């Protein structure tokens, strides 16, 4: 779920769910790296059975890190992924199972979001490349062509297209191969891995990574041999993994993630030249300084601490919070938890836009829980049951919200106005101060700096021709590079910075917000080329204490003085939290290019939710339907109800339909949900997209390098039947928000039939290798030949008396792992292990002591019940009396009787 | 008449005689009407009941088994005959009996209050032991005639609580295929104690090889694939909540029976439903059968000793094998508080 603020909200409301991970770091003796001994006891004082890696949460940050230069080659990326994975595994030290799940083809409902993110990402990448080119040109002219080759090389490199992280691409193929190799390599070389079974589900297996993990856990729970006291850890970046954890009803469950509150102020590197000590915006393109031993370059990323999120502790909180005194039916924590997860869906999920009146930042979940508590006596039971919504009861919740909707919008407006007024006052104060200092600035002085008021006509410095004037945010090219009246500048002061050139607009705007451009420039030059905005980027702790929000949603809350530069930097932290980390999308910014939004002067909001008649205006503006067409609104609401039912099933039972999706860009109002009890929601399982179909469904033409060439003309040719699916430009609707990246990308929805028809003509032209990449793959189980399970499997598949082709695992030998295995024809017993990376970074092994088989989860035909399993033993509670009283007090004082509902 | 001295029991102390882990060799079921079937239709699975449930609920609709008829060893023998026919091999053992008889024998060193009377017959190399039905009826009557404390629940109601607890805790299938409605509806189900799943096991204590039949309550997970793997059976029991020393003492004595019963059939886990005085289920406790003797020794008052029971049984059975050597029906008897077990030939056949 791309709900960046969810994590912050959770950890503030339920503080004891978070604790620090105690991590053993690799030792160092005389420069020799001593690896962590995973076989040793877990330094956290507890051992864990199973570790699940939502692998996209590793692949994204490793392949295009936000805080250091990207790996030079895809092979380097693989090595970075190995190192990061190794670190995570060493932290958790799973004793039974390691599951590595890479996102495969996603349900159609998810593809709308993927599409939006990938289109935006391509736009952003293009902007970055344009910037670099511009910068290079400028540097050359500035230094008379003498440019250090390190910087040149770095800047010349095209921005790596993170859209390659989509099933079916050559990159994902390489990733799967590399992971298979690496797991086998670890099994061969690390004694602690000999005891662990490794389950690898690569991108060729359909389903989102975390949902493949969920499916696996449910499948094990359905097996009678499953140990209900299995200690699970899931690693990933999504804030909602903790909800998936709750949804398993396995109480010994933790989420592992990087500490997003940890502010790394050092170690950031410029993404232009790859050097430390300055940020891209201040890049001068200087020679690379010699760095110490290898490995240091990774410090910034590897040193970020990790935290646990304890599902068990969240269960304790919710047991108190969700208990309604004198409720007329039996309290059932497991059912109540499901309802709670359901309430969270309203506020944000990857498959539906959230309701206009619900925002995590306005405590939307609390609003819903208060309504839920109020309605418990009326509903007579829980809203959901084993992943199914009772629509009659859900109507109570939406009715409750509908009653508050107008008030919520008005309150939101008041808060915004208050904030704006405060910001303005602050700005005015600052301006007064600055004006005092900068008197006599001549034509560079004065406030202003707004779009449309440039008045900078100094002589050109000779750099960077090229008409950027069409871009309204950019300051004029001939921005002075010296401070008038200060005399000759030192060489250092004169050095052009990347930021001045490429991000002129940003610096200009940033400073224009609170002082004159000339003053800004002056202070920048005097500080040695660091634009003032740099202080924003460093996210110093002091800044945070200042009431600035932690990463994740800072920009959203930031007041109007926040510059686009810092906003864009902050949202990077946010994207790290996103499911599709680093791929801009619905919640991510478009680049500094098109479309551009001025936070000071957002386009007029024609809907004005705070004014009467907003619903009419909303449907007219957003949906382009007659305000009198109430039936249409109910139709939208009906689709939304289907969406809620779909999401709930997806979380609790597995994908109910691969083809269903919400066919609008916007959500209805709570008031539009009527007669829900009469609705019938049914899903048809549908056909799963093939990888190339998904690629054609979510990638923009600019990313066509990731798609087989035969399909390219479909995206670009004028006479292509589906050319309209791939617009280069698309509107972004701010939808009442301040920043473009918070807006809604208005992309046409893919018509499945048209897409498949168009592609059908091209399929016969694929090469055999391309064909193979489009095939559905299987989960792979890898283990050491020293693992007790090896003997059984080897005897069944490779002895003279071979058994059945599918072999049912014996849980008493497999340590509880249930399922079937099948011979993997790619695996040849007693052969060598070849490394697919050809750059020599990882070795081949002469003798491979691992075995690889295909694995099939046990498939239950029954509904997975939201219940604890027999034999669960709980740990001593974490919450003390005071925590419980406080939680209960807060819960009891919410809702109707206290003016809530 | 021959007699076997129980006392001094100390001569049986020390590490235990060899025991053979019980292994299921056959099974049978009684259905809801207590009809015999050579299958596992009455096999049940455990899923914990809701705490707070009222064990008295539905007492008036209890469908209680009438066990006044003498069933002898019929079902056990039928099952063994079927087994022999299926496998084509003779099922040999020194002792063939119901688990209940062995429980009485094994508890003898620490149970002075309850006597027993059994009938035994030697056929070929095996001694078949069954309860003397008249004695069973008599002692049951004597128990019923005991005046219960005023205000205390009746014997019948307390017996019902045990069956109710089973109904609340059992499912006819594993958790996954069982519907939520069934699991949650167990509190409203009519209690019927006609159905039973009986396991027939081969086991041994000391030199005596035995085939024992007895009811097992439930499976914890599922029957293992391999025939030789132990089965994770669950035994269900209820007990009054322990409030004072006297309760504790009573409970410890109860544990002796629980332990022996489960030990004999190889039931590894006992789940005890603690109830309030008026039959409200308060909490559950899972006990590992193998840990119970140590638990009693270390945490309890040490009112009994498991090894001693095993050694006593080994000696007694050894002696019995040498004593019952002729045709006809033999009586094995221990009178209340008697220091000896008597064995004598009741009649020639
Ligand atoms: Mg994912």
């Amino acid at each position: 779920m791309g709900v960046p603020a969810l994590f912050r909200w959770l950890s503030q409301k339920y503080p004891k769910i978070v604790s620090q991970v105690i991590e053993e770091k690799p030792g160092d003796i005389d420069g020799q790296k001593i690896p962590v001994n995973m076989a040793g006891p877990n330094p956290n004082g507890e051992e864990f059975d199973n570790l699940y890696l939502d692998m996209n949460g590793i692949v994204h940050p490793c392949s295009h890190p936000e805080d250091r230069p990207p790996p030079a080659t895809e092979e380097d990326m693989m090595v970075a992924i190995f190192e990061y994975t190794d670190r995570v595994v060493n932290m958790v030290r799973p004793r039974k199972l390691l599951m590595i799940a890479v996102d495969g083809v996603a349900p159609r409902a998810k593809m709308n979001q993927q599409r939006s993110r990938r289109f935006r990402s391509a736009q952003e990448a293009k902007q970055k490349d344009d910037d670099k080119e511009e910068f290079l040109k400028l540097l050359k002219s500035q230094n008379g062509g003498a440019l250090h080759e390190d910087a040149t090389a770095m800047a010349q490199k095209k921005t790596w297209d993170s859209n390659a992280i989509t099933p079916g691409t050559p990159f994902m193929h390489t990733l799967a191969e590399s992971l298979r190799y690496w797991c086998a390599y670890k099994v061969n070389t690390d004694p602690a891995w000999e005891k662990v079974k490794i389950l690898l589900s690569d991108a060729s297996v359909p389903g989102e990574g975390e949902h493949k993990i969920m499916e696996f856990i449910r499948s094990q729970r359905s097996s009678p041999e499953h140990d209900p006291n299995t200690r699970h850890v899931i690693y990933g970046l999504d804030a909602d993994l903790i909800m998936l954890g709750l949804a398993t009803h396995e109480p010994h469950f933790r989420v592992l993630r990087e500490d997003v509150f940890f502010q790394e102020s050092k170690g950031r590197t410029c993404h232009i030249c790859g050097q430390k000590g300055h940020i891209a915006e201040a890049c001068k393109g200087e020679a690379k300084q010699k760095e110490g031993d290898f490995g240091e370059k990774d410090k910034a990323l590897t040193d970020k601490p990790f935290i646990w999120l304890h599902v068990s502790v969240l269960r304790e909180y919710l047991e108190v919070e969700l208990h309604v005194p004198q409720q007329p039916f039996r309290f059932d924590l497991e059912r109540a938890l499901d309802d709670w997860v359901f309430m969270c869906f309203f506020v944000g999920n990857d498959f539906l836009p959230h309701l206009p009146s619900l925002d995590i930042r306005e405590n939307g979940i609390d609003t819903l829980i208060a309504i839920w508590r109020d309605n418990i006596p009326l509903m007579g039971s829980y809203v959901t049951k084993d992943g199914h919504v009772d629509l009659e009861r859900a109507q109570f919740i939406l009715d409750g919200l509908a009653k508050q909707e107008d008030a919520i919008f008005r309150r939101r407006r008041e808060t915004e106005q208050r904030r704006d007024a405060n910001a303005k006052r602050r700005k005015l104060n600052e301006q007064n101060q600055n004006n005092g200092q900068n008197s006599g600035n001549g034509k560079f002085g004065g406030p202003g700096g707004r779009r449309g008021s440039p008045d900078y006509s100094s002589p050109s410095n000779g750099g960077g021709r090229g008409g950027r004037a069409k871009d309204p945010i950019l300051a004029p090219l001939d921005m002075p590079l010296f401070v008038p009246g200060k005399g000759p500048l030192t060489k250092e002061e004169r050095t052009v910075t990347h930021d001045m050139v490429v991000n002129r607009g940003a610096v200009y705007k940033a400073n224009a917000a609170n002082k004159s451009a000339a003053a800004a420039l002056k202070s920048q030059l005097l500080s040695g080329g660091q634009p003032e905005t740099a202080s924003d980027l460093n996210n110093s702790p002091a800044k945070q204490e200042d009431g600035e929000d932690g990463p994740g949603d800072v920009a959203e809350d930031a007041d109007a003085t926040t510059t686009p530069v810092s906003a864009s930097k902050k949202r990077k932290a946010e994207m790290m939290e996103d499911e599709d980390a680093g791929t801009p999308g619905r919640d991510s910014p478009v680049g500094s290019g098109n479309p551009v939004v001025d936070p000071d002067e957002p386009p007029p909001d024609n809907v004005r939710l705070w004014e009467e008649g907003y619903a009419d205006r909303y449907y007219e503006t957003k949906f382009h339907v007659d305000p009198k067409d109430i039936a249409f609104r109910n139709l939208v609401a009906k689709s939304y109800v289907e969406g809620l039912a779909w999401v709930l099933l997806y979380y609790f039972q597995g994908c109910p339909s691969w083809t269903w999706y919400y066919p609008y860009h916007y959500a209805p109002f709570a008031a539009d949900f009527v007669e829900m009890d009469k609705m019938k929601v049914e899903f048809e399982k549908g056909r799963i997209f093939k990888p190339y179909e998904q690629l054609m469904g979510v990638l923009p033409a600019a990313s066509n390098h990731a798609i087989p060439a035969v399909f390219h003309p479909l995206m670009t040719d004028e006479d292509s039947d589906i050319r309209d699916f791939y617009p280069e430009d698309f509107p972004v609707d701010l939808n009442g928000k301040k920043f473009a990246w918070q807006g809604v990308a208005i992309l046409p929805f893919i018509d499945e039939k048209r897409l498949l028809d168009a592609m059908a003509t091209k399929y016969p032209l694929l090469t055999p290798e391309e064909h193979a990449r489009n095939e559905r793959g299987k989960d792979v189980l890898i283990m050491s030949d020293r693992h007790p399970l090896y003997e059984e499997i080897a005897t069944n598949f490779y002895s003279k008396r071979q058994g059945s082709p599918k072999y049912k695992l014996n849980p008493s030998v497999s340590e509880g792992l249930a399922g079937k295995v099948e011979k993997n024809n790619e695996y040849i017993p007693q052969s060598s292990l070849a490394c697919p990376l050809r750059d020599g970074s990882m070795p081949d092994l002469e003798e491979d002591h691992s075995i690889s088989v295909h694995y099939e989860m046990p498939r239950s035909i029954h509904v997975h019940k939201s219940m604890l399993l027999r034999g669960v033993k709980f740990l001593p509670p974490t919450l003390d009396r005071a925590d419980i009283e406080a939680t209960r007090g807060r819960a009891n004082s919410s809702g109707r009787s206290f003016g809530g509902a | 008449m021959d007699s076997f001295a129980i006392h001094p029991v100390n001569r049986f102390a020390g590490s235990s005689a060899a025991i053979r882990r019980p292994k299921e060799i056959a099974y049978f079921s009684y259905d809801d009407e207590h009809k015999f079937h050579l299958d596992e239709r009455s096999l049940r699975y455990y899923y914990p009941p809701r705490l707070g449930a009222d064990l008295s609920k539905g007492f008036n609709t209890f469908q209680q088994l009438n066990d006044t008829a003498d069933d002898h060893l019929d079902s056990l023998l039928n099952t063994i005959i079927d087994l022999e026919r299926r496998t084509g091999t003779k099922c040999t053992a020194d002792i063939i009996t119901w688990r209940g008889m062995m429980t009485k024998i094994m508890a003898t060193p620490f149970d002075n209050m309850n006597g027993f009377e059994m009938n035994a017959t030697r056929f070929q190399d095996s001694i078949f032991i069954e309860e003397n039905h008249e004695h069973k009826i008599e002692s049951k009557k004597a128990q019923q005639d005991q005046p219960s404390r005023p205000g205390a629940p009746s014997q019948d109601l307390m017996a019902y609580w045990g069956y109710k607890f089973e109904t609340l805790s059992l499912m006819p299938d594993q958790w996954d295929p069982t519907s939520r409605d069934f699991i949650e509806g167990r509190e409203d189900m009519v209690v019927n104690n006609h159905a039973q799943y009986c396991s027939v096991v081969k086991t041994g204590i000391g030199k005596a090889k035995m085939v024992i039949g007895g009811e097992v309550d439930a499976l914890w997970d599922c029957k293992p694939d391999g025939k030789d793997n132990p089965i994770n059976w669950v035994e269900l029991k209820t007990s009054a909540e322990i409030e004072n020393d006297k309760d504790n003492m009573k409970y410890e004595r109860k544990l002796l029976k629980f332990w022996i019963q489960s030990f004999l059939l190889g039931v590894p886990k006992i789940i005890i439903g603690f109830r309030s005085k008026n039959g409200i289920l308060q909490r559950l406790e899972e006990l590992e059968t193998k840990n119970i003797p140590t638990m009693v020794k270390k945490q309890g008052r040490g009112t009994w000793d498991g090894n001693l029971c095993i050694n006593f049984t080994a000696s007694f059975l050894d002696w019995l094998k040498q004593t019952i050597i002729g045709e006809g029906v033999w009586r094995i008897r221990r009178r209340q508080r008697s220091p000896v077990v008597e064995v004598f030939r009741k009649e020639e056949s």
Side-chain angles (χ1 to χ4, degrees), chain A residues 440-621:
Chain A
N441 260 352
K443 59 182 167 184
F444 300 111
R450 295 251 165 141
R451 172 162 46 161
S453 63
D455 184 27
Y456 301 93
S457 45
S458 310
S460 165
N461 206 28
R465 301 179 302 118
R468 313 259 324 179
K470 63 176 193 270
D471 198 337
I473 197 171
L474 293 175
L477 277 170
D478 43 7
M479 200 182 217
L481 290 170
F482 59 93
V483 182
K486 194 177 177 272
L489 291 171
T490 62
K491 186 174 163 254
E492 200 178 310
E493 279 170 335
R494 216 188 289 267
T495 311
V496 66
T497 72
H498 169 260
D499 191 62
M500 287 168 165
V501 178
V502 175
N503 272 347
R504 297 186 292 293
V507 178
Y508 157 72
K509 264 201 50 50
N511 293 288
N514 48 28
K515 62 176 79 162
S516 77
L521 199 60
K522 177 183 168 190
S523 58
Q524 182 181 336
L525 289 173
L526 291 177
S527 69
Q530 290 271 350
E532 290 208 338
T533 46
S535 62
D536 282 349
L537 301 172
N538 284 337
N539 285 332
S540 64
K543 187 83 182 167
Q544 210 185 352
E545 277 163 21
D546 242 43
E548 188 184 76
D549 291 292
D553 53 340
V554 212
E556 175 96 1
D557 293 341
D559 62 39
T561 57
T562 310
T563 69
V565 176
S566 59
S568 110
K569 203 72 188 179
K570 283 165 187 166
R571 60 84 189 162
K572 276 170 183 160
E574 167 159 310
M575 275 155 35
M576 297 291 281
E577 268 188 57
D578 254 338
E579 176 275 337
D580 244 343
T583 319
R586 180 180 282 151
D587 292 331
S588 307
V590 291
S592 49
N594 171 43
V596 166
V597 183
D598 178 346
D600 281 349
E601 233 173 74
D605 179 350
N606 295 322
V607 176
R608 299 184 309 280
L609 290 169
W610 58 92
E611 270 174 34
E612 221 178 296
Y614 63 81
D616 290 356
R617 293 191 295 274
Y618 184 77
Y619 280 100
E620 202 169 15
T621 327

Side-chain angles (χ1 to χ4, degrees), chain A residues 71-83:
Chain A
T73 63
E74 291 195 350
E75 299 208 336
D76 284 353
M77 285 179 196
M78 299 303 151
V79 174
I81 290 166
F82 298 162
E83 282 172 3

Side-chain angles (χ1 to χ4, degrees), chain A residues 221-222 224-225 330 332 335 385-386 808 860 862 865-871 873, chain B residues 46-48 50 174-181 183-184 187 220-222 225 286:
Chain A
R221 277 172 63 89
S222 72
E225 284 109 333
R330 191 169 294 149
D332 181 339
R335 298 277 306 272
K385 186 203 245 180
D386 303 330
K808 187 173 168 282
S860 169
H862 306 283
K865 295 181 286 295
S866 296
M867 288 182 174
L868 294 172
L869 296 178
R870 52 94 187 88
K873 291 190 176 71
Chain B
Y46 171 73
Y47 188 83
R50 180 185 70 87
Q174 291 166 7
W175 176 78
D176 179 57
T178 305
S179 72
R180 174 185 281 279
D181 286 348
I183 293 171
E184 290 174 349
E187 286 182 48
W220 176 259
D221 41 26
C222 58
D225 281 340
E286 279 175 25

Side-chain angles (χ1 to χ4, degrees), chain A residues 278-324:
Chain A
H278 67 272
I279 46 162
E281 286 77 4
C283 181
K284 298 172 194 168
E286 286 175 342
K288 204 172 200 160
Q289 283 165 7
K290 284 279 160 280
E291 273 185 337
D293 47 344
F294 91 98
E296 197 185 37
K297 60 175 186 218
D298 298 330
K299 273 250 157 55
L301 193 69
T302 51
D303 280 346
K304 210 175 204 179
F306 277 62
I307 49 167
W308 304 111
L309 298 184
H310 303 263
V311 168
S312 57
V313 182
L314 183 56
R315 287 174 57 97
E316 287 183 49
Y317 278 110
L318 292 175
E319 180 162 18
V320 179
E321 185 178 356
L322 302 180
H323 191 277
V324 179

